[in-house]
Amino acid sequence: MLPAVFQNSHRIHDYLTQGLIEFGGTFEFKGPWFCDMDMLVTSDPANIHHVLSKNFSNYPKGPEFQKIFEILGDGIVNTDHELWEFHRRTTLSFLSHVKFHKLLETSVWRKVEKGLFPVLDYFSEHGMDFDLQDIFQRFAFDNICNLVLDYDPSSLCNDLPCIPSQKSLDDAMEALFHRHVLPDSIWKLQKWLGIGKEKKLIQAWKAFDEFIYPRIPIEEEERKDDNLNLLKTFRKAYEEKINGFLSTNSRDFLRDTSLTLMLAGRDTTSTCLTWLFWLIATNPVAEFKIREEIETKLKLKENKKWRFFNVKESQKLVYLHGALCESLRLYPPLAVERKSPIRSDILPSGHYVHENTKVMFSFYSVGRMETVWGKDCLEFKPERWISEHGGIKHEPSYKFPAFNAGPRTCLGKETSFIQMKMVAASILYHYHIQLVKGHLVLPRDSVIVQAKYGLRVKLSRRNV
C-alpha cells in the first residue's frame, strides 16, 4: 500500500477518507515488512469511543507516541498516568479561577482593538488582498502568549513582522505528521542527516527554545507579580507536587508546558476561524443569518453602535456557535490521533488488535462519513447544531472529536469557543469578505488541518 500513499501524499486526508468510506470506516494498512508501518486506520465512532473512553487505560500515549512528539517533552499531550493527571488538574484550576474569564475578555478585546481592527482597516482602505489565515494565526499566537507567558509578541500589526517561533509552528506540525505516516527508519535517518522535514523540525525546536526560555520568569519576579498567571500556577504546583518526580528541572518543565499550550491555543482557534470564513464566504445565506443574530442578540440594532461583549453574552450567539461546530466537523484542527494498546484487544468493529498495534484515528474523515452524519455530511449546515427549542444541540465527542474524546478531551474547549465568537462577530459586523478568484483552498498535509495555501480575501467596510 505504500506506493499509493506516496502517490496521494499531496491529498493524504482525502485519500484516507476515500479508503475509510470504501471499507466501512476501518481498514488495515499494510506497509513493507521491513518498515514497521502496519496499522489499523479507523473513523468509526464506536472504535473511537472504545479506545478513547471505555478502554482508556489500555491505550496510553506510550513511548512510541512520545518519541514522535519528543519536541513537546513533558507537556500534557505527551504524558500518561500521574503526570498527565497533574497537568489536567493544574490547567483546570487555572481555567476555573474566578478571575480567568475577565482575563480572557481583556486579552481578546485588547488584541481585537489594538491589533486586528487596525490591520483589517489598512487592507480594506487600500483595497489589498491578503491571507486571512495568517491574520488569525497571528491573533491567536499573540493571545495565547499573553495568557501563557504574560508576554505579547505583537506579531499582529500593520507591518506583519516575521516572528520565527510563530512561523515555526507550521513547520513543526508538518514534520510531526510525516513521522506518523513514514517508516521510523526514514524520518530517523533524515533527523540524523539533518535534511528534509526533520531539518525544519530541528530549526523549529531551536526557535521555540530561544523564544520561550527568556520569558520564563525567575521565582523572585513571580512573587512580586499579583496577576493571574499560568506559568506561576504551574511552577507552584510543580514545586508542591512533582519536584524530584521528573528528571527535568522546573525551567525545562515550564518550557514544555508553554510550548504545548501555545500549539493548542494557536492552532485550534486559527484553523477553525479560517475554515469558518471560507465556508460562510461560499454560503452567503449563513453569513446573513450570523450577522443578523449578532445585531439582534447583542442589541446592536437598537444602539446602532458596536460594543465589546462579555463571556455570558457570547452564549446567546447560537447560530454562530453552530457555524463554528460545522467548521470543526468538516475541518477539525487535529486531523489524526494515534494509539497503541498495552494488552491485546477487540474493537467494536470486530478488528483484533495485538499488543502495541498502531491504531490511527482519522478525525478529519469522521465528519465526512454518511454513516455518521447522513447524506448531507459534506454540506455546511449550522442548523444541524440547533435544537427544536433554539438551544445548542450537543453531540457525543466520539462522533464529533474536534476536541478529542474521553478523559483527554481538550480542556480549552469553552475558552476556544468564547475567543472564536468574539473574533468572528467583530469581523462579520464590520466587514464584508470576498474570496480572491482563482485562489486554491485545500487542507494541508499536516497534523493540523490548515489551509495549504492560506485563505486570500479582500475586505470592504460595511456601513454600520
Side-chain angles (χ1 to χ4, degrees):
M1 295 183 177
L2 190 59
V5 170
F6 285 133
Q7 187 178 358
N8 291 277
S9 60
H10 63 288
R11 53 181 291 274
I12 193 67
H13 296 305
D14 288 317
Y15 174 67
L16 285 177
T17 301
Q18 286 179 331
L20 288 164
I21 291 172
E22 183 178 344
F23 288 98
T26 306
F27 70 87
E28 293 183 68
F29 178 85
K30 297 290 184 181
W33 64 268
F34 54 87
C35 286
D36 189 29
M37 285 188 67
D38 293 0
M39 66 180 73
L40 190 75
V41 184
T42 184
S43 61
D44 186 336
N47 288 343
I48 294 173
H49 183 52
H50 177 82
V51 172
L52 300 185
S53 297
K54 291 180 67 178
N55 206 9
F56 174 74
S57 61
N58 191 37
Y59 290 86
K61 293 289 184 176
E64 286 298 314
F65 185 95
Q66 292 161 0
K67 183 170 57 181
I68 290 175
F69 285 88
E70 60 182 332
I71 194 171
L72 299 181
D74 288 316
I76 189 171
V77 168
N78 254 5
T79 53
D80 288 311
H81 313 306
E82 296 91 348
L83 186 53
W84 169 72
E85 290 175 0
F86 166 82
H87 270 289
R88 188 174 179 83
R89 284 195 308 271
T90 308
T91 304
L92 278 174
S93 71
F94 177 77
L95 295 178
S96 58
H97 194 282
V98 66
K99 295 181 179 179
F100 175 72
H101 277 169
K102 187 62 179 176
L103 173 67
L104 179 65
E105 289 173 13
T106 303
S107 179
V108 171
W109 289 130
R110 183 191 297 124
K111 183 53 59 175
V112 168
E113 185 176 21
K114 304 295 185 182
L116 185 64
F117 281 163
V119 170
L120 296 186
D121 283 343
Y122 175 82
F123 285 122
S124 174
E125 291 166 4
H126 289 79
M128 300 165 59
D129 67 81
F130 64 99
D131 181 4
L132 188 57
Q133 177 172 256
D134 180 52
I135 300 301
F136 288 144
Q137 288 176 339
R138 290 170 181 273
F139 181 97
F141 180 72
D142 287 353
N143 201 48
I144 194 62
C145 286
N146 192 38
L147 291 173
V148 174
L149 299 173
D150 196 22
Y151 168 75
D152 184 354
S154 299
S155 68
L156 183 59
C157 57
N158 283 353
D159 56 353
L160 300 180
C162 178
I163 308 245
S165 57
Q166 201 269 128
K167 300 306 293 183
S168 293
L169 291 172
D170 295 338
D171 292 336
M173 289 297 99
E174 192 169 331
L176 294 176
F177 179 73
H178 279 254
R179 285 189 174 191
H180 272 80
V181 298
L182 288 177
D184 287 3
S185 56
I186 292 180
W187 68 257
K188 285 180 178 177
L189 178 62
Q190 288 183 337
K191 179 184 176 183
W192 183 66
L193 294 173
I195 60 174
K197 305 290 184 186
E198 291 297 316
K199 179 182 179 180
K200 289 188 175 182
L201 186 59
I202 293 168
Q203 294 169 341
W205 195 320
K206 181 182 178 184
F208 297 148
D209 288 351
E210 290 177 348
F211 179 78
I212 296 173
Y213 275 118
R215 291 172 178 89
I216 298 176
I218 59 176
E219 294 180 63
E220 288 74 14
E221 292 174 343
E222 286 182 348
R223 292 193 187 101
K224 296 176 184 177
D225 183 12
D226 294 329
N227 294 329
L228 180 62
N229 184 283
L230 184 59
L231 282 192
K232 184 164 62 176
T233 302
F234 264 96
R235 191 198 293 273
K236 182 180 178 182
Y238 174 93
E239 292 172 349
E240 291 177 354
K241 302 291 183 182
I242 60 174
N243 192 15
F245 175 69
L246 287 174
S247 58
T248 53
N249 58 42
S250 64
R251 197 168 180 78
D252 291 338
F253 176 75
L254 292 175
R255 174 267 182 204
D256 298 343
T257 301
S258 299
L259 178 56
T260 302
L261 294 172
M262 284 165 57
L263 281 168
R266 188 200 76 147
D267 288 326
T268 301
T269 54
S270 64
T271 302
C272 179
L273 285 169
T274 298
W275 291 110
L276 170 73
F277 276 85
W278 180 73
L279 288 164
I280 61 178
T282 54
N283 291 271
V285 173
E287 181 182 6
F288 174 81
K289 288 182 178 180
I290 294 172
R291 191 174 285 131
E292 183 74 15
E293 179 183 65
I294 293 168
E295 294 177 344
T296 303
K297 296 291 179 68
L298 299 180
K299 298 182 179 179
L300 301 180
K301 283 185 176 180
E302 299 174 14
N303 302 323
K304 296 182 179 180
K305 185 179 180 182
W306 169 256
R307 65 175 178 83
F308 296 142
F309 52 92
N310 58 35
V311 169
K312 189 173 182 180
E313 288 177 302
S314 72
Q315 297 170 357
K316 298 177 183 178
L317 303 177
V318 176
Y319 194 86
L320 176 55
H321 189 101
L324 288 167
C325 287
E326 279 291 84
S327 173
L328 290 163
R329 180 181 69 85
L330 290 166
Y331 299 97
L334 183 66
V336 295
E337 174 70 289
R338 177 171 162 176
K339 292 283 189 176
S340 293
I342 53 178
R343 297 178 300 277
S344 298
D345 194 13
I346 298 177
L347 300 182
S349 60
H351 292 83
Y352 182 83
V353 288
H354 295 278
E355 176 185 337
N356 297 323
T357 298
K358 297 170 186 173
V359 182
M360 180 182 286
F361 301 107
S362 175
F363 293 157
Y364 178 88
S365 302
V366 176
R368 289 169 159 68
M369 305 293 286
E370 285 189 14
T371 53
V372 179
W373 290 98
K375 292 187 179 298
D376 63 351
C377 63
L378 297 181
E379 296 179 30
F380 176 68
K381 294 177 64 175
E383 292 81 4
R384 78 172 82 236
W385 296 92
I386 302 175
S387 68
E388 296 178 359
H389 305 291
I392 297 166
K393 187 189 298 182
H394 295 279
E395 295 286 358
S397 57
Y398 51 85
K399 180 181 176 182
F400 177 57
F403 293 93
N404 216 313
R408 285 191 180 267
T409 297
C410 177
L411 298 176
K413 179 179 178 180
E414 181 191 358
T415 302
S416 295
F417 272 113
I418 293 168
Q419 182 178 186
M420 290 188 295
K421 285 180 182 178
M422 290 174 170
V423 175
S426 299
I427 296 175
L428 288 169
Y429 181 79
H430 288 94
Y431 308 95
H432 175 69
I433 296 178
Q434 182 180 1
L435 299 175
V436 172
K437 290 184 179 179
H439 176 65
L440 198 60
V441 183
L442 295 171
R444 187 176 185 178
D445 305 311
S446 175
V447 174
I448 306 299
V449 188
Q450 299 165 338
K452 190 172 185 177
Y453 306 110
L455 181 64
R456 299 208 69 83
V457 301
K458 278 191 172 183
L459 294 186
S460 56
R461 187 93 185 187
R462 294 182 64 234
N463 295 319
V464 291

